[in-house]
Structure formats: structure tokens, C-alpha cells
Amino acid sequence: MTIDTETRHDADGRAVDAAAYLVAPVDERSRARLAENGLDYRVVPVAGDDYPQWLQVVARGFQDGERTDEQVASSRERSAYRRVTGVYDPAVPIAGAPVGTIASWIGQLTVPGGAALPSCAISAVTVAPTHRRRGIARAMLEGELGAAVAAGAPLAMLTVSESTLYGRYGFAPAAASASWRIETKRAAWIGPRPDGRVDFITRERLRELVAPMHERVRLRVAGEIDVPGGFWDGFAGTNPTAEKPGEKRAVQYADADGEVRGLAIYSVKENHDDFTKASVNVAYLLAETDDAYAALWRFLLELDLVAEVNAGELSVDEPLRWMIADQRAATVTLRDHQYVRILDVPTALEARRYGAPGTLALDVSDALGHAGGRFVLTVDGDGHGTVSSWDDGAAAPDGSVEVALGIEELSAAYLGGVSLATLAAAGRVRSTDASPAARVFAWHTAPRLSIWY
Ligand SMILES: CC(C)(COP(=O)(O)OP(=O)(O)OC[C@H]1O[C@@H](n2cnc3c(N)ncnc32)[C@H](O)[C@@H]1OP(=O)(O)O)[C@@H](O)C(=O)NCCC(=O)NCCS
């Protein structure tokens, strides 16, 4: 799958030109601010001479080792979909090494109801420890958000190393993830035992199947994004520079008609002290049908010589919990995962579906000035919403519920991952009546994101 040349559309069919975004100039306000401090903020072409040093600085920023020439070449080959940006201090001794890095691209974020909206995905945010806490990260984040707004992207999104970094720019945790550690001998499978079969396949075959299958299922789950191809190489170990790829085992589930409906890739860690107590790490499990989900999880939980199965980036509301006899066999750890930042309130709100009809008068504040304003969201009996403006000084429409909140809180509730009533109880949202407002924003399945980016 390539996403570099595609043109993305928002809910009204307006184009967001993902290809033009890749080479769009950096945000002028951030450029000028950094230039005042002797720093040069510029786009770094992935195909150009500056890319290898940029990549080395990202690796150092995330506490990784130096990249080999082969790894640089592989990264270059798989990164054409990225807008890569660096901040340069001309005085550093390593020629061409930036002191700040950031990458972004226009991806597609699934929202409740199955639409996908163009969303600026942000990644590779690092600042050299020699240049920390001088406002370089802030300038880059504000800069890329400015570029995303200029491109017409209604949303931005990211996954984070630390939870404390991005709220200041309006990002909020919108889809939490669950990590599971399952004691398999205690769990006891009580779920369905569907017809069909599970078979081993090569990692290369899994790599071929996984991208189109993910494309078929990603619109079913709010929070998921279109996944650039290089990520699948990472899961499958089919990247030429993958570490210990041979440890990965790939299986497919084919239904009774022989159609492949699910895939899993996992590795096994032997336990030398007790050969009956190996542990399994599930790198990725993708199911197109409920049968595939049941068959693959049952296969993993019933592996011989295995005492523990670990899996991450699962939903906070996994059906798996209801497929094992002993729910306490699973230790589940929740973590903030997919962060979302609304940049265009009407476009974002009209694209998702809602849990109940109602009229909300929303007073949204945004410290960065991108998305603040007063809006009336009217949701009909089918869960479709329309947004109109709510004039300054005008009373809220009759029968509406007033909700005053920051863009961070609106973004937190956007995918249905947290109730507006919970945010009101936490003092993060003010409302004339949070319960009906919460029912409007509710969604019947938990949002999820199955990768890091
Ligand atoms: C996180 C990182 C990018 C910050 O860069 P920086 O240039 O030092 O950040 P800035 O000076 O621009 O700080 C911007 C704001 O973030 C705050 N901040 C920066 N790092 C922070 C941290 N680790 N925890 C909490 N707040 C932090 C600053 O106090 C500042 O707040 P304010 O502008 O609201 O007053 C840098 O420390 C880094 O590279 N860390 C390692 C890699 C990493 O974790 N990257 C993030 C990946 S998601």
C-alpha cells in the first residue's frame, strides 16, 4: 500500500492533498521564532543527502543505537509517505545533524460510524539533549499543526513516549490500549470453536495478506488508521534489517469455504527451567470475522508448553475476556495510546455518528486558536450530526444542553473513548446537564489503535 500520492478527502469530499503536504513549506511563525535563536527549521527530503543524519538523530533521541547503512537505506525506501522536518544549529560539530526532528503525514483516522477522516499523523519528535527545554519541540509541534491546518486536515494524531507532553498543544488520549498477560493453563477456553482451520504460513505470505485485510477491517473500529506498508514489515519481520525475524511464527485462519479471514504473528520464548512454561508474545492479530477472532485466540491460548500469552495494543473491551472461564487469568494493563487533536470542529463532528439524538451547544476553547468557537451540534434519530455556529451573545437554542470545554476534552471524547459525564465529574467539562450530552457522544464499541507510530 502506498499513501504518498493519494489525495485524501474530508467528510464533505474536500480534498486534502497528501502529496503536496509532504513538501509544503514549514510554518512561517515557527520558522521565524527559531531563526531568532540562530536555528534553521526546514523540510528534509527523504530522498535527499540530509536524511541519513536526520535518521541517526531520531535513533539517538529514542535511545537506539546508530543505524547501519543498510538500515538507513531500508528506512529511506519505506518512508516516502513522510514529511520529514528538522531544526538545525549551524554550530554543531557533526555536519548535517539536526538538533530537532519531527515527521508527519496525512493519514486516515476511523471515527465512530465508519468514516475515515484525513488526519495529520505526527511521529519522530526528538530534541537533542544538548538543546532541550529551549522551546524547540514547541516550535516544531505548533509548526506541524500549522502546516496541517494549511493543508486542510481536520484532525491531528500521535502516539506518545510520555503522557505529559502533548496536552498543551490540544492533543488528548482518545483511544486507550490494553496489554494482556494471560495465564493460559488457568484461562480455559469457553468461547466458540468455529469450523475452518488454522495453519502455519510463511512470514512473507502473512505480509502479503495482512495489508489488504487491514484495509478491509480498519473502518469498523474508531481509532484505527491506515497503516503504512513498512509497519507490516516490522510485524512480519520481512524488513531486510529485521532483528531475529526467524523467531516470528505466522498463522492464518481460513473459514469453512477456504477464505482466509484472520492472521496472527507471534514468537515463543522458551523457559529453560521448566519446559512447560514458555511464554508467547503476540506481535499482531487481525481478524476479519468473529470466527477468525475466536479460532486464532483459541489456538494461541491452547499452545502446548506455553504458560503465558502476552499481547498489547488491544481494545479496553476485548471479546476475549468473555471467551475464557477464568477472567482473573488475565492481567490487563490500560494505557493512554491514540492521541487526537481536533483542528476543524464542524468537519470533525459532522463526520462521526452519535449514540443518541439531541442538541448540544458547545463552547470550545483552544489556546492555539485553531478550533475554538461556539457551535450547535444537532443529532437526529439516526445518529447523524450537523453543526451550525452559535453566535456570540446569543442564547443557546431551546431544548439544547450547554457544554463548555477545551479542545483537549472535545478531542478526548471524540472517538467515544471517554464519557462527557466522566469528564464533567473530573472537572474537565462544564455542562448544564452532562448526562444527555454524554449519551449523544457515546459509542457502543471502544475505540482502539493496534499499532504505535
Ligand atoms: C520531549 C522532547 C521532544 C521535548 O523537547 P524540548 O525541546 O525540550 O521541549 P520544549 O522546550 O519545546 O518544551 C515545550 C513544553 O513541553 C514541556 N516539556 C518538555 N519536555 C517535557 C517532559 N518530558 N515532561 C513534561 N513536560 C515537558 C516544557 O516544559 C514546555 O512547556 P511549556 O511550553 O508549556 O511551558 C525532548 O525532551 C526529547 O527529545 N525527549 C526524548 C524523545 C521523546 O520522548 N520524544 C517524544 C516522542 S512522543
Side-chain angles (χ1 to χ4, degrees):
M1 181 184 63
T2 56
I3 65 170
D4 49 333
T5 54
E6 277 177 41
T7 297
R8 302 306 171 77
H9 292 83
D10 68 17
D12 292 333
R14 285 178 299 209
V16 175
D17 190 335
Y21 176 75
L22 294 180
V23 291
V26 294
D27 179 73
E28 179 51 28
R29 274 196 303 184
S30 285
R31 194 204 60 74
R33 212 157 81 210
L34 288 162
E36 275 171 25
N37 296 313
L39 300 170
D40 181 20
Y41 176 36
R42 62 173 191 260
V43 174
V44 180
V46 169
D49 293 344
D50 288 345
Y51 184 70
Q53 277 297 353
W54 182 92
L55 190 67
Q56 296 295 4
V57 167
V58 173
R60 189 184 63 201
F62 286 114
Q63 304 174 334
D64 273 348
E66 223 172 274
R67 295 287 186 253
T68 62
D69 289 348
E70 199 190 7
Q71 285 172 323
V72 172
S74 168
S75 164
R76 205 199 283 270
E77 202 180 306
R78 287 168 173 73
S79 298
Y81 67 93
R82 286 175 164 224
R83 166 187 170 85
V84 166
T85 310
V87 173
Y88 291 82
D89 175 348
V92 300
I94 300 179
V99 295
T101 63
I102 189 165
S104 60
W105 67 94
I106 305 294
Q108 296 260 344
L109 174 66
T110 304
V111 301
L117 272 192
S119 182
C120 177
I122 292 178
S123 182
V125 178
T126 75
V127 170
T130 49
H131 288 65
R132 68 192 282 280
R133 307 304 181 268
R134 302 183 198 174
I136 295 177
R138 178 176 272 279
M140 293 192 302
L141 260 301
E142 291 186 6
E144 290 307 275
L145 287 178
V149 168
L155 301 167
M157 57 188 180
L158 43 74
T159 55
V160 309
S161 61
E162 286 190 84
S163 304
T164 47
L165 298 178
Y166 296 105
R168 56 177 49 77
Y169 313 112
F171 286 92
S177 74
S179 298
W180 280 54
R181 181 165 56 79
I182 312 165
E183 293 174 60
T184 55
K185 297 195 190 327
R186 186 177 161 187
W189 187 259
I190 55 166
R193 294 160 185 261
D195 291 342
R197 49 187 290 163
V198 174
D199 286 293
F200 283 101
I201 54 174
T202 63
R203 290 180 291 107
E204 290 73 19
R205 180 69 182 141
L206 179 130
R207 170 68 183 83
E208 271 171 34
L209 294 170
V210 70
M213 188 180 291
H214 187 264
E215 275 302 285
R216 292 198 294 275
V217 302
R218 74 178 161 88
L219 297 184
R220 296 183 199 165
V221 184
E224 291 284 8
I225 67 171
D226 55 335
V227 174
F231 286 67
W232 298 128
D233 286 319
F235 285 120
T238 45
N239 184 325
T241 59
E243 280 173 30
K244 301 186 181 167
E247 290 187 357
K248 298 197 166 177
R249 304 294 174 192
V251 289
Q252 68 175 28
Y253 165 79
D255 64 18
D257 296 329
E259 293 292 329
V260 177
R261 298 295 190 193
L263 300 162
I265 184 131
Y266 67 96
S267 54
V268 185
K269 196 161 155 226
E270 200 180 51
N271 184 332
H272 288 285
D273 297 328
D274 183 340
F275 289 114
T276 67
K277 291 193 176 145
S279 61
V280 159
N281 184 52
V282 182
Y284 203 87
L285 186 148
L286 182 63
E288 207 175 344
T289 60
D290 292 343
D291 280 356
Y293 180 91
L296 289 169
W297 276 116
R298 181 179 166 220
F299 168 80
L300 291 164
L301 265 50
E302 293 187 344
L303 286 167
D304 284 323
L305 302 182
V306 169
E308 187 180 298
V309 170
N310 295 283
E313 289 74 67
L314 301 183
S315 163
V316 301
D317 190 19
E318 280 292 332
L320 180 59
R321 183 180 285 286
W322 302 95
M323 295 171 150
I324 53 177
D326 185 347
Q327 294 197 352
R328 291 190 193 176
T331 305
V332 178
T333 308
L334 301 187
R335 193 193 285 123
D336 50 301
H337 184 48
Q338 170 73 301
Y339 278 62
V340 170
R341 203 281 188 213
I342 295 175
L343 294 168
D344 174 342
V345 171
T347 301
L349 293 190
E350 289 190 352
R352 66 156 282 188
R353 299 279 293 272
Y354 294 87
T359 302
L360 307 186
L362 302 167
D363 189 345
V364 182
S365 60
D366 180 352
L368 296 191
H370 293 304
R374 289 170 27 117
F375 309 91
V376 176
L377 169 68
T378 307
V379 175
D380 66 18
D382 292 329
H384 291 285
T386 49
V387 176
S388 53
S389 62
W390 173 20
D391 294 336
D392 281 346
D398 282 349
S400 66
V401 174
E402 290 179 53
V403 183
L405 74 184
I407 196 64
E408 203 183 334
E409 287 71 26
L410 186 62
S411 300
Y414 180 58
L415 299 179
V418 62
S419 160
L420 281 179
T422 304
L423 291 177
R428 300 280 300 254
V429 163
R430 282 178 294 119
S431 179
T432 49
D433 193 349
S435 299
R439 281 197 290 276
V440 168
F441 261 76
W443 195 241
H444 56 274
T445 48
R448 177 198 175 196
L449 171 69
S450 54
I451 64 162
W452 288 84
Y453 58 93

